[in-house]
Amino acid sequence: MDSTLPVGKAPTALGRGLAARVFRIARVLPIQVGLAAVAVLWMLPTVGLLLTSLLARDDFNSIGWWKIFTEPSLATFENYRALFANHAITSSLVTTTVVAVGGTILPLLIAAAGAYAFAWLDFPGRDWLFVGLVGLMVVPVQMALIPIFQLYNVTGLFDTAAGLILFHTAFGLPFATFLLRNYMIGIPGELLDAARIDGASELRVFLWLILPLAKPALASLAVFQFLWVWNDLLVALVFGRRTQPITVAIFTQLSQFDANIAIISTGAFVSLVVPLTVFLAFQRYFVRGLLAGAVK
Amino acid sequence: MISVGIWIVYPAIRTFARSFFDRSGTDFVWFDNYRTVFTSSTLLTAIKNNAIWVGVVPALVTSIGLVLAVLTERVRFAVAFRIAIFMPMAISLFAAGVIWRIEYDQAPERGAINAVIAGVHDAIVPPGALPSALPSTTALAGSPRQGFVLRTPTEPGELALLGLTGILPQDVARSAKQATLPQPQPGAIAGVAWRDFRPGGGTSGVVEREELGLPGLTVELRDRAGRKVGTTSTGANGTFRFPKLESGEYEVAIGAASFRQPFGGLSWLGPKLITPAVIAAYTWIWAGFALVIIAAGLAAIPRDLLDAARTDGATEWQVFRRITVPLLAPVLTVVFVTMLINVLKVFDIILAVAPDSVQADANVIALAMWRASFGGVNDFGLGSAIAVVLFLMVVPILALNVRRFRREL
């Protein structure tokens, strides 16, 4: 489009520059306004949840959250006070935290060791094993629910945080190993050889060389896995009864949505504050992990 | 490796085996569970819905991501914009489901989506002054749907009495005043529309004390041929007047628009709209994923190629269609395939958005698997069979992934 400007006949260089600028702004402006509108629209539902959770109990049935914009006095923290006084909810938040942290650290450690082996150690069938592992990434969780349910019932892992952590570990491993192996293989081999020649054991090489070098990939994965486990509903729903994370705790309130809207909206907002904070703080890592894997 | 073996490989095999056994797990029933999967109506609904998901969502999400990625490319606040769109990705599908459950509420006073539709709807088609009414005497004929008309024609100089009843007190406008009988005027038709009802009795067809006028009604005047020759609306005391009429006989009517219902809200969470509603919520979440991946792919396209095409006189659309999209094809495939896998496994968000009563209508395979195995029925045989069906649907994609990966190896 720029090329259609009458290049030769422009009165002055200044005038032409200005005209081109005005022209460009006029062309981009509608796009910018449109995109800004889309962005606002995209964030509005989340804002809606926050404002809904601020409505007083009596107001839920008669007014919508947007009324708070015109009448800020409608907002109250009463629901949050009630939520944090609710023992079932606070203990579910603790469960969620324990499972999410454990379900992040454990698979990361195992995957890092495995990835190192896949990347830098020679053992028979290595590549085939790795391909098999990658293939497992798309095995739906559903394939494992029933047998593990029975297994947990026998072993006593049912309804424990450990059971949830182990399940998330297993299903997090293929992706984590895949990502880390691809990252570690990019570490220059001379570096490893030099360390080995200096007499470092494999364990030392792994702990003092590989892990620090793989930090960015580990960070990406940690963010990923943390969000994944924190946000999980299905696994917790199957393997938990009294040990329930916040998602399940809210789920049990859902059947009477209108009556429990206070606890549902407040709980849902609390449950998304943590992953949202993690995401905003580490979004660079998150996006990087997404680009590296893009398969989970 | 061992833990992967215990938690993934062994269960997968067990599930496969278990799917050939009955509910209690003691009798080998061959393919009976699979027969159930493909014959029972709930499971067929699940398969049908999943097919809709597969057909709509990956394409929708990929194209939204593509359009937004191309549009944000030249915008200064692209990073902020991408974060805004991407944010729902951090939220659990379940919490997102709760969010949308609130927005989809049927009552326009509570559900934001219906509130917006109601706002637009009522601005284009304003609701009538009264939701419903009945004639108080046989002098009026008709219904709120058609409007009411006086049976006997009226001549200039006469009065038209439009008595209505069957009106809830809260439906009468606040501005309504005591109904009054207007003075007849030569050459004009005057009249009154009022709530012809008084607690404790009263005579119908007569304007009495404590009976309110009905303001805001549209009164139409038609000639003998049925052509509309005038419209006016009633005042606070219910009176109206058509002045300066030629002599003759006229029909006085209350237009149906006076009784138009305000917009009551679409039942997004009802059985008909639930799947599109959940799909929209799901798209809200995943569009950011597509946007980020595609934007990264876009950044890798050599600038000079696009600029060269533009210098050669290609329009923006041609550049997009002939250069950008083909060069992005691998990235678009990644997004599409990822969405395909995700959509096959969609679960949490349906559980959150769909109320219990319509979950059967919103059912998908993953949800059906959970409902059959853990949702009260506890039929592990059937549940396993559904899981295997789900797995078999993912296998072709799995094969694709492994192949792609081995090429990279």
Side-chain angles (χ1 to χ4, degrees), chain B residues 43-62:
Chain B
L43 291 169
L44 281 179
T45 313
I47 293 173
K48 193 195 82 198
N49 280 337
N50 236 144
I52 296 175
W53 277 83
V54 166
V56 173
V57 175
L60 186 65
V61 168
T62 313

Side-chain angles (χ1 to χ4, degrees), chain A residues 25 59 72 77 118 152 156-157 179 217 231 254:
Chain A
I25 290 174
D59 290 336
F77 285 99
F118 278 125
Y152 275 11
L157 277 171
L179 198 82
N231 289 335
L254 269 192

Side-chain angles (χ1 to χ4, degrees), chain A residues 68-296:
Chain A
I68 290 187
F69 283 128
T70 48
E71 272 179 81
S73 61
L74 285 170
T76 158
F77 285 99
E78 206 42 57
N79 298 326
Y80 284 91
R81 218 164 294 146
L83 188 84
F84 286 113
N86 184 332
H87 180 67
I89 299 287
T90 46
S91 79
S92 75
L93 280 170
V94 173
T95 306
T96 297
T97 312
V98 169
V99 173
V101 171
T104 303
I105 294 175
L106 193 61
L108 238 61
L109 286 180
I110 301 176
Y116 174 60
F118 278 125
W120 290 109
L121 301 181
D122 262 323
F123 57 91
R126 184 182 75 171
D127 288 353
W128 278 108
L129 214 54
F130 190 57
V131 169
L133 196 68
V134 173
L136 287 181
M137 273 196 295
V138 265
V139 173
V141 172
Q142 279 81 0
M143 278 303 272
L145 291 181
I146 292 173
I148 295 292
F149 179 78
Q150 292 169 326
L151 187 77
Y152 275 11
N153 268 329
V154 176
T155 54
L157 277 171
F158 181 74
D159 202 12
T160 62
L164 292 177
I165 291 176
L166 287 172
F167 192 92
H168 285 301
T169 301
F171 272 85
L173 271 180
F175 176 68
T177 317
F178 167 74
L179 198 82
L180 285 175
R181 180 260 183 201
N182 283 4
Y183 189 87
M184 286 179 186
I185 212 150
I187 295 172
E190 303 88 60
L191 226 55
L192 301 184
D193 290 337
R196 283 181 191 137
I197 290 166
D198 287 348
S201 66
E202 287 300 335
L203 187 70
R204 259 189 101 76
V205 171
F206 172 68
L207 286 180
W208 296 106
L209 197 67
I210 298 283
L211 280 191
L213 280 173
K215 227 185 244 164
L218 284 170
S220 297
L221 263 176
V223 176
F224 239 100
Q225 182 74 9
F226 181 82
L227 293 184
W228 180 259
V229 178
W230 182 284
N231 289 335
D232 161 75
L233 172 70
L234 175 59
V235 176
L237 207 52
V238 171
F239 300 124
R241 282 291 174 276
R242 270 165 301 139
T243 312
Q244 44 177 234
I246 184 78
T247 43
V248 180
I250 302 171
F251 171 76
T252 55
Q253 310 283 336
L254 269 192
S255 58
Q256 305 216 305
F257 193 83
D258 288 335
N260 296 335
I261 176 83
I263 199 167
I264 292 171
S265 58
T266 318
F269 191 76
V270 168
S271 87
L272 66 76
V273 162
V274 173
L276 208 58
T277 314
V278 169
F279 163 71
L280 289 177
F282 302 104
Q283 48 115 352
R284 208 168 284 278
Y285 290 113
F286 187 72
V287 171
R288 207 179 290 158
L290 209 62
L291 294 175
V295 258
K296 177 139 185 177

Side-chain angles (χ1 to χ4, degrees), chain B residues 317-327:
Chain B
W317 171 248
Q318 282 172 328
V319 171
F320 175 74
R321 186 74 198 73
R322 298 284 161 84
I323 303 175
T324 312
V325 172
L327 281 178

Side-chain angles (χ1 to χ4, degrees), chain A residues 35 42 60-61 64-65 130-131 135 138 142-143 147 150 152 170 178 231 237 247 251 257 275 279 283 286 294, chain B residues 3 7 11 14-15 81 83 86 90 92 94 99 101 103 109-110 284 338 341 351 356 366 370 394 398 402 405:
Chain A
L35 285 178
W42 228 262
F60 282 122
N61 292 325
W65 50 264
F130 190 57
V131 169
V138 265
Q142 279 81 0
M143 278 303 272
Q150 292 169 326
Y152 275 11
F178 167 74
N231 289 335
L237 207 52
T247 43
F251 171 76
F257 193 83
F279 163 71
Q283 48 115 352
F286 187 72
Chain B
S3 69
W7 269 274
R14 269 297 294 272
T15 300
F81 177 82
I83 290 178
F86 194 68
S92 67
F94 181 71
I99 291 179
R101 174 99 167 248
E103 310 304 346
E109 304 86 62
R110 286 181 293 166
W284 173 73
T338 310
I341 299 175
L351 214 50
D356 290 349
W370 179 77
V394 183
L398 177 144
V402 172
F405 173 72

Side-chain angles (χ1 to χ4, degrees), chain B residues 119-336:
Chain B
V120 174
H121 181 275
D122 291 348
I124 298 170
V125 194
L130 286 175
S132 81
L134 293 168
S136 66
T137 63
T138 49
L140 269 182
S143 70
R145 294 281 298 275
Q146 306 151 349
F148 295 101
V149 63
L150 277 179
R151 282 180 206 274
T152 38
T154 315
E155 285 184 37
E158 292 181 337
L159 286 180
L161 297 183
L162 308 170
L164 293 173
T165 180
I167 301 162
L168 294 174
Q170 64 263 32
D171 287 341
V172 180
R174 262 192 213 153
S175 60
K177 295 206 181 87
Q178 166 68 41
T180 51
L181 206 58
Q183 286 299 318
Q185 250 181 4
I189 292 179
V192 59
W194 83 106
R195 182 166 180 250
D196 190 7
F197 170 79
R198 199 169 59 154
T203 319
S204 44
V206 181
V207 177
E208 292 164 298
R209 273 192 6 174
E210 288 176 50
E211 293 186 342
L212 291 171
L214 294 172
L217 297 184
T218 318
V219 183
E220 293 173 5
L221 193 68
R222 301 181 191 136
D223 64 12
R224 287 311 303 242
R227 262 178 313 162
K228 207 191 284 184
V229 291
T231 24
T232 183
S233 63
T234 53
N237 55 5
T239 55
F240 59 90
R241 186 181 299 276
F242 294 101
K244 290 179 195 147
L245 294 170
E246 289 173 27
S247 59
E249 289 186 327
Y250 294 93
E251 276 187 342
V252 179
I254 303 173
S258 303
F259 305 102
R260 204 181 283 128
Q261 300 282 338
F263 180 72
L266 287 171
S267 60
W268 293 105
L269 302 176
K272 291 231 168 58
L273 289 175
I274 186 68
T275 297
V278 186
I279 285 181
Y282 194 79
T283 308
W284 173 73
I285 296 168
W286 283 95
F289 164 78
L291 167 63
V292 167
I293 303 276
I294 296 173
L298 207 56
I301 292 182
R303 289 298 73 184
D304 1 348
L305 207 63
L306 302 182
D307 289 338
R310 289 195 186 109
T311 325
D312 288 348
T315 63
E316 286 300 319
W317 171 248
Q318 282 172 328
V319 171
F320 175 74
R321 186 74 198 73
R322 298 284 161 84
I323 303 175
T324 312
V325 172
L327 281 178
L328 276 180
V331 178
L332 296 179
T333 314
V334 167
V335 174
F336 191 87

Side-chain angles (χ1 to χ4, degrees), chain B residues 83-96:
Chain B
I83 290 178
I85 305 287
F86 194 68
M87 214 176 55
M89 280 285 293
I91 301 172
S92 67
L93 284 162
F94 181 71

